[in-house]
């Protein structure tokens, strides 16, 4: 299952009711100080608001300075000014950006278009499209589309459609519309909002055709079925189904484009349960053929799409023996989604003997849903598995134990939650206690709240208290924030405040108000949300943090974690020239880091790597055909190296090989973890910081398994070191 977000704790988010409940129990966050340089400056851009954000004095001063830079003779200075104005936001910044849309330097104009779209200024979407030159270069239109996809209001949808109609269908529009629909907070339309969008199925560029497939993941118009079938199967013939001989005898880059179009089309053909298509026969037949395309990413997308149809389980069983472990995982998860017990013995065998850690953990989780008795019988054996991920997954089997073993399973979960030496197992077991009753359960939750030293375990305990309405334990919840002060206790504080929002009383208002100014933005947001819930009003928009001292071209800052100078990179205004070489147990990957677009993230990752921070850490999360995620100091997806990095929106699309920074629900909660894309995910664009691209080691991405290791990370850069400020 592809998730809509990449969070610090999403490494625990395997496809299982209990595991998803663990995610719902509490949103893990980074504990933190914002590198000693970030202060509240920018308003949120994600909501696509029409009202201009008000600026604090510092941001107003910075805006004026950047407006001056926008008139520089140096195009690199103008480019940096445009980028910073977009992040500062406001009407004054927008007014300065509009004339830059016609800048003679296309890169400056593109940065201005993107910046205006995300600025949060009044009518930013309409003003952007209205002021684009008729002959705007391709990169400017691409930047405008990507930025507009970040907005949530109807004006952004109208602007994207206008962009498609008036500028000869820029290829990025469908991806941007998909992004818009995924984040706007209400359902996507049931039909394509404009006929121009149907023409993208025959767009001359692969990006446009693939974007059509992604758009159809949100818009389930029956009119899209035949175009999607054509994109998936090509010119079908008896001798050459899929036209594969033509597609895959082409160049490597063309092959990658074909794969992306096919997988996007397969995802677009997934059936909507709320409004199923009247005739899904052609879609089903095309997806069945795609299972044998010979391309793992296409097979995974088709497998997941078929799991949305009835009576397709038998088609997926052969994939359990696929060579690629990602395909095997997708098959196991899809069979569990279908609740199909057609291969339970094979899945049980995979849980015990498969060479892949990810397959073993996914198999026991699936078996817990498909055959609880069989899964429960395997739990003792699974708890002996050397992989912590598998043992944590075995808690799912205990949580789904049949009624006859319920008491025994509860006792075993309590013992694991209290005594297991591995944090990942403890909080997995604790989450499975949700919905269970009895003195053993109450005592285990109380002990975690009162005595467990781990903030993540305590956060999960707070979530169980809130979910089960355990009012008697609320005094212990109220004591949690004081027990976990500082940057390392943010998870626990947030969990407690979330619980207060559900079970709190009027007397908790003062406690909640005290944490509205917490140094951790996710904790502050939890306090504000809890107060809103208790008052019966809508939760406020998250307050964004701006970055002081780390704007484009400023190259010195102090790391708030260590108190040491950070390494910022020589800004010569040229192309990206900072490389990160990552040695893993599966091979070497080399990334080009964009220190112009994301100076804070690149500087922090480089500093962390320079201290050996990544050496020996695991890849704790893999989602087939989506992402690999690692670099967590704790190994469970909730570590942060004690910082909260502000979001740095960039124009780098989240496509295969893109390097990004996970975060929690608050935009300004990046830390030290890294994720690398298996494939295109337009809904992540702008909402997460993309700060690098893979330039060597493409084959390694698909080989990374859960619990594989990062052996070392080296930064190869021209650097300047500055004295303390």
């Amino acid at each position: 299952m592809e998730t809509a977000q990449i969070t610090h704790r999403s490494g625990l988010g395997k496809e299982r009711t209990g595991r998803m409940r663990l995610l719902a129990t509490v949103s893990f966050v980074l504990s933190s100080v914002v590198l000693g340089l970030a202060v509240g400056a920018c308003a949120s851009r994600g909501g696509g608001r029409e009202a201009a954000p008000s600026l604090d004095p510092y941001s107003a001063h910075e805006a004026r300075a950047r407006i001056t830079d926008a008139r520089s003779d140096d195009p690199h200075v103008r480019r940096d000014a445009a980028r910073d104005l977009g992040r500062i936001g406001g009407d004054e910044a927008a007014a300065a950006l509009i004339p830059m849309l016609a800048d003679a330097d296309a890169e400056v104009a593109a940065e201005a278009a993107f910046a205006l779209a995300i600025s949060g200024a009044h009518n930013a979407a309409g003003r952007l499209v209205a002021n684009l030159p008729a002959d705007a270069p391709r990169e400017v239109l691409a930047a405008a589309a990507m930025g507009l996809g970040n907005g949530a209001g109807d004006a952004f949808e109208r602007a994207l459609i206008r962009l498609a109609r008036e500028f000869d269908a820029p290829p990025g529009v469908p991806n941007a519309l998909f992004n818009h629909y995924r984040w706007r907070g209400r359902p996507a339309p049931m039909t394509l909002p404009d006929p121009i969008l149907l023409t993208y199925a025959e767009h001359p560029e692969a990006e446009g055709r693939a974007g059509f497939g992604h758009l159809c993941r949100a818009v389930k118009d029956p009119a899209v079925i035949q175009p999607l079938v054509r994109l998936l199967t090509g010119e079908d013939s008896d001798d050459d189904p899929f036209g594969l001989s033509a597609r895959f005898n082409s160049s490597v880059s063309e092959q990658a484009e074909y794969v992306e179009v096919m997988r996007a089309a397969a995802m677009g053909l997934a059936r909507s349960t709320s409004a199923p298509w009247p005739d899904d026969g052609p879609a089903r037949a095309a997806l069945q053929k795609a299972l044998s395309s010979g391309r793992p990413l296409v097979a995974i997308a088709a497998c997941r799409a078929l799991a949305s149809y009835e009576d397709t389980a038998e088609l997926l069983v052969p994939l359990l023996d696929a060579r690629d472990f990602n395909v095997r995982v997708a098959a196991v998860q899809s069979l569990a989604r279908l609740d199909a017990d057609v291969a339970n013995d094979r899945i049980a065998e995979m849980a015990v003997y498969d060479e892949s850690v990810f397959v073993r953990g996914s198999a026991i989780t699936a078996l817990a849903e498909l055959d609880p008795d069989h899964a429960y019988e395997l739990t003792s054996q699974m708890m002996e598995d050397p992989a912590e991920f598998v043992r944590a997954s075995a808690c799912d089997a205990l949580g789904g134990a049949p009624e006859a073993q319920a008491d025994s399973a509860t006792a075993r979960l309590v013992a694991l939650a209290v005594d297991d030496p591995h944090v990942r197992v403890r909080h997995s077991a604790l989450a499975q206690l949700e919905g269970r009753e009895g003195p053993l359960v109450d005592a285990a939750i109380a002990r975690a709240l009162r005595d467990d030293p781990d903030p993540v375990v305590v956060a999960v305990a707070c979530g169980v208290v809130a979910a089960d309405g355990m009012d008697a334990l609320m005094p212990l919840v109220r004591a949690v924030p004081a027990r976990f002060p500082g940057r390392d206790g943010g998870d626990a504080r947030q969990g407690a405040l979330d619980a207060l929002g559900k079970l709190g009383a009027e007397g908790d208002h003062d406690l909640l108000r005290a944490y509205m100014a917490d140094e951790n933005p996710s904790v502050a947001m939890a306090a504000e949300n809890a107060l809103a819930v208790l008052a019966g009003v809508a939760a406020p928009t998250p307050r964004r943090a701006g970055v002081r001292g780390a704007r484009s071209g400023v190259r010195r800052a102090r790391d708030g974690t260590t108190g040491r100078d950070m390494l910022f990179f020589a800004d010569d205004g040229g192309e990206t020239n900072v490389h990160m070489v990552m040695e893993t147990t599966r091979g070497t990957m080399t990334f080009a880091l964009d220190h112009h677009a994301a100076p804070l993230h690149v500087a922090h990752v480089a500093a962390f790597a320079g201290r050996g921070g990544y050496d020996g850490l695991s890849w704790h999360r893999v989602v087939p055909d989506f992402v690999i995620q690692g670099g967590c100091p704790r190994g469970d997806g909730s570590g942060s190296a004690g910082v909260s990095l502000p979001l740095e929106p960039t124009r780098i699309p989240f496509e295969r090989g893109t390097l990004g920074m996970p975060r929690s629900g608050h935009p300004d909660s990046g830390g030290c973890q890294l994720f690398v894309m298996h494939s295109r995910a337009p809904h992540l664009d702008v909402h997460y910081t993309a700060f690098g691209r893979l330039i060597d080691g493409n084959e390694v991405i698909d080989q990374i398994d859960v619990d594989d290791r990062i052996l070392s990370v080296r930064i190869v850069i021209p650097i300047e070191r500055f004295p303390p400020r």
Side-chain angles (χ1 to χ4, degrees):
M1 181 184 73
E2 179 181 320
T3 61
Q5 298 185 32
I6 297 192
T7 66
H8 298 300
R9 286 192 59 199
S10 60
L12 309 174
K14 300 199 304 300
E15 286 53 70
R16 157 86 172 109
T17 302
R19 192 70 86 204
M20 296 307 291
R21 187 191 305 142
L22 175 59
L23 287 175
T25 297
V26 58
S27 172
F28 279 59
V29 296
L30 291 179
S31 312
S32 72
V33 214
V34 182
L35 291 190
L37 350 151
V39 195
C42 286
S44 171
R45 314 286 187 259
R49 299 176 302 132
E50 293 300 313
S54 59
L55 301 182
D56 62 78
Y58 175 85
S59 298
H61 170 77
E62 287 292 291
R64 289 190 293 273
R66 302 287 76 69
I67 289 170
T68 300
D69 289 345
R71 296 190 288 268
S72 170
D73 292 334
D74 186 339
H76 299 123
V77 174
R78 297 199 303 276
R79 176 204 64 189
D80 293 344
R83 181 182 295 124
D84 294 339
L85 284 169
R87 295 174 183 178
I88 294 169
D91 282 338
E92 190 176 4
L97 289 165
I98 287 174
M100 300 178 75
L101 298 174
D103 196 284
D105 187 292
E107 184 64 20
V108 174
E111 203 65 63
F114 180 76
L116 181 56
I118 68 170
S119 67
H122 175 70
N123 193 25
R127 293 160 76 185
L128 169 57
V129 179
N131 287 280
L132 282 172
D135 59 349
R138 170 194 172 93
E139 56 262 52
V140 176
L141 299 176
M146 179 179 285
L148 289 169
N150 176 61
D154 290 341
F156 290 87
E157 179 188 40
R158 293 192 298 269
L160 283 165
I161 293 171
R162 184 178 172 186
L163 196 67
R165 296 191 68 86
E166 297 182 10
F167 291 89
D168 197 24
V173 168
N175 280 328
L177 274 171
F178 173 61
N179 190 353
H180 165 76
Y181 291 140
R182 285 291 293 264
W183 290 88
R184 71 177 187 172
R186 57 191 187 283
M190 295 307 299
T191 58
L192 291 172
D194 193 280
I196 187 69
L197 298 174
L198 197 59
T199 67
Y200 276 91
E202 299 179 0
H203 199 279
E205 297 186 38
E207 180 188 357
R209 299 193 301 277
F212 178 77
H214 287 295
L215 176 59
C216 295
R217 295 164 62 187
V219 182
K220 294 301 177 182
D221 188 336
V224 308
I225 296 178
Q226 286 303 325
L228 288 174
V229 168
R230 287 196 299 271
L231 288 175
L232 179 56
T233 61
E235 295 297 327
D236 198 355
S237 70
D238 292 338
D239 295 331
D240 184 20
F242 295 94
L244 292 182
S245 63
R247 296 188 190 199
F248 297 135
N249 286 328
S250 54
S251 68
V252 173
S253 61
E254 288 176 328
Q255 289 183 35
E257 290 179 348
Y258 284 132
V259 167
E260 173 54 29
V261 171
M262 292 173 70
R263 65 172 286 274
M267 289 188 287
L269 286 171
R271 180 173 174 268
S272 168
T273 55
S274 59
W277 289 318
D279 179 14
D280 59 23
R284 183 193 296 252
L287 289 167
Q288 181 177 349
K289 290 181 180 180
L291 294 177
S292 57
S293 67
R295 300 288 157 165
L297 296 179
V298 176
I300 291 168
C303 173
R304 289 187 178 135
L306 281 169
S308 66
Y309 292 79
E310 298 176 354
D311 303 321
T312 56
E314 293 287 353
L315 302 175
L316 307 183
V317 172
L319 299 184
L320 296 176
D321 295 314
R323 177 178 298 179
D324 190 306
F325 76 87
N326 289 289
V327 178
R328 299 200 298 276
V329 168
V332 165
Q333 294 172 344
S334 295
L335 288 171
R337 178 181 174 186
L338 286 165
D339 196 21
D341 57 358
V342 295
N344 289 356
D345 289 343
R346 176 71 182 105
I347 293 174
E349 180 183 357
M350 295 168 75
V352 178
Y353 298 113
D354 198 280
E355 64 182 4
S356 163
V357 170
F358 192 19
V359 172
R360 296 201 302 276
S362 299
I364 191 61
T365 294
L367 196 65
E369 294 186 355
L370 296 170
D371 190 349
D373 288 287
H374 199 168
Y376 185 77
E377 291 172 1
L378 292 177
T379 52
S380 295
Q381 189 172 358
M382 302 304 295
M383 283 299 174
E384 299 299 320
D385 195 285
E388 186 178 333
F389 174 80
V390 176
R391 297 197 300 278
S393 299
C395 293
D396 293 344
L398 290 173
E403 187 63 30
Q405 283 82 36
D407 290 343
S408 172
T410 298
R412 292 175 67 186
L413 285 168
V414 166
L416 290 168
V418 172
D419 297 325
D420 196 276
H422 299 286
V423 170
R424 195 171 192 173
V425 176
R426 285 212 309 281
H427 58 59
S428 295
L430 199 61
Q432 292 295 340
L433 293 179
E434 182 182 318
R436 297 171 184 266
E437 299 178 348
L440 274 179
V441 174
D442 293 350
I445 301 297
R447 177 172 174 176
L449 292 170
R450 185 181 59 246
D451 300 327
D452 200 295
D454 188 86
V456 175
V457 172
V458 173
V460 174
C462 290
V464 175
V465 169
D468 289 348
M470 304 171 75
D471 293 284
L473 296 183
M474 285 304 292
L476 292 176
V477 171
R478 293 184 179 96
V480 164
R483 190 160 82 85
F484 287 92
R487 64 170 65 100
D488 294 328
D491 295 297
R493 296 198 302 279
Q494 183 183 351
L497 299 179
D498 286 340
L500 287 172
K502 296 178 181 178
L503 298 181
E506 186 173 346
D508 293 317
H509 286 192
D510 289 343
L511 175 61
L512 291 168
R513 290 191 189 98
Y515 286 94
M516 288 177 62
D518 195 276
E519 62 185 359
N520 184 316
S522 295
V523 175
M525 183 175 71
E528 293 181 356
N529 289 347
L531 283 168
V533 170
L534 293 178
V537 299
T541 301
R543 290 184 295 179
R544 291 289 319 287
V547 184
R548 296 191 179 186
R551 67 176 188 266
S552 302
V554 176
R555 307 185 297 279
R556 72 174 186 181
R558 179 156 293 218
D559 187 331
T561 307
T562 65
R564 295 182 295 195
D565 290 339
M566 291 181 62
L567 299 177
F568 273 66
F569 309 109
D571 190 357
D572 58 3
E575 296 299 317
T576 298
N577 54 6
V578 181
H579 289 176
M580 181 175 77
V581 181
M582 178 183 291
E583 302 280 350
T584 78
T585 48
R586 301 287 177 174
T588 302
M589 294 184 286
T590 302
F591 299 88
L593 307 183
D594 194 335
H595 60 283
H596 301 291
L600 257 184
H601 282 72
V602 173
H604 176 65
V605 167
F608 191 67
R611 300 194 296 270
Y614 290 111
D615 298 358
L617 299 185
S618 68
W619 296 96
H620 64 270
R621 182 189 187 215
V622 177
V623 181
D625 190 29
F626 183 41
V627 71
I628 59 174
Q629 184 173 333
C632 172
R634 293 168 50 94
D636 63 358
S638 57
S640 67
V643 299
S644 290
L645 294 173
L647 177 69
E648 293 182 285
T650 74
R651 291 161 45 209
I652 301 173
F654 280 100
E655 58 192 4
R656 182 170 178 84
T658 296
L659 181 68
M661 176 67 71
R663 63 171 176 82
S664 70
H666 195 287
D668 298 325
S669 54
C672 63
Q673 294 182 44
L674 308 170
F675 67 88
V676 184
M677 303 304 300
H678 275 158
S679 46
R680 183 76 172 101
H683 62 286
L684 302 185
D685 291 349
V686 189
H687 298 282
Y688 292 79
T689 299
F691 62 98
R693 302 174 188 264
L694 184 74
I695 58 174
D696 191 40
N698 180 62
E699 71 286 352
V700 177
I701 302 176
D702 299 314
Q703 298 174 25
I704 296 292
D705 195 358
V706 172
D707 279 359
D708 281 344
R709 297 285 155 175
I710 300 171
L711 301 178
S712 67
V713 175
R714 293 182 292 113
I715 304 296
V716 182
I717 45 173
I719 60 175
E720 294 180 358
R721 189 167 184 84
F722 286 77
R725 303 176 73 176

